[in-house]
Amino acid sequence: MEETLASTLSNIVQQSTESLQILYSYSNSWYIILPVSLISVLFAKKVSKVIFFILGFLSSYVFIIPYLQQFDFVNKLLNQIKVKQEISFLIFSVIIGILTYTFFKSSAQIAGFILGGIVGIEIYGVISNFYPGFFESLNILKNIDTLYIPWIFVIIFGIIVSILITKSFDNVVSILTILISSAIAGFFTLYALEYSLSLKIGENTLLKHNTNISDIELITIIVFSIIYIILGFKFNFKKSK
């Protein structure tokens, strides 16, 4: 017998046991995770920037500060500062949190320029291969060394793609926030229904923290996720053309 769509999706989910274990580890706090996920879905454009701040803030405490403390001059500087170390770390982490959004956006611009440059050089290669002597025949390029023409393509297409990514960066981040938050909200919505209302949905594998989620439960999670995704797009992009 051919595998049903639900079975296929179930197999994919079962292969992501680590992700399920992470979700199960927060199951006792579903009453907090579920509302936060729904808020993230409905207000993704605003929440996404907060997520960047939290990401930068936590990264500062977990990675940046411990790394900097390995250097003697940093510890000497902290000893000279009259403010307590805890307050210094807090101020530093807040600054890192604020700058994280700008950092990611700048990284996206650089990545866009590189991607655009690759596209530009490929387009130049295609034109050169199929239409030899094409660039030499253009009056506007006659005074330009042929070695510089590929770089012109790299710069022009790099700038174009970088601008496009910069303009759509907030929307891309918002869409990712909606998709991820909807999936989490769908999972914990089903968990809440099984846990708080004692509903019998499939085999109630979620309550047992079983990684082999039953087909009915998986379909229910997907349905809830799709509903949340639709609501997220309606709330966040209702004024978009």
Side-chain angles (χ1 to χ4, degrees), residues 173-228:
V173 172
S174 298
I175 290 170
L176 289 175
T177 302
I178 291 171
L179 295 177
I180 295 171
S181 299
S182 294
I184 295 172
F187 178 90
F188 283 107
T189 297
L190 179 61
Y191 188 91
L193 292 175
E194 291 183 355
Y195 180 81
S196 60
L197 300 180
S198 300
L199 295 181
K200 180 68 177 176
I201 303 174
E203 300 173 7
N204 290 123
T205 51
L206 263 66
L207 292 180
K208 302 171 186 175
H209 290 198
N210 195 332
T211 54
N212 297 317
I213 298 177
S214 63
D215 291 347
I216 295 176
E217 287 177 299
L218 180 60
I219 292 172
T220 306
I221 291 172
I222 292 171
V223 170
F224 275 119
S225 298
I226 292 172
I227 292 171
Y228 293 143

Side-chain angles (χ1 to χ4, degrees), residues 13-30:
V13 171
Q14 288 169 19
Q15 292 173 1
S16 306
T17 54
E18 290 184 5
S19 300
L20 286 173
Q21 292 297 346
I22 291 172
L23 288 173
Y24 283 139
S25 67
Y26 290 102
S27 59
N28 292 332
S29 303
W30 65 265

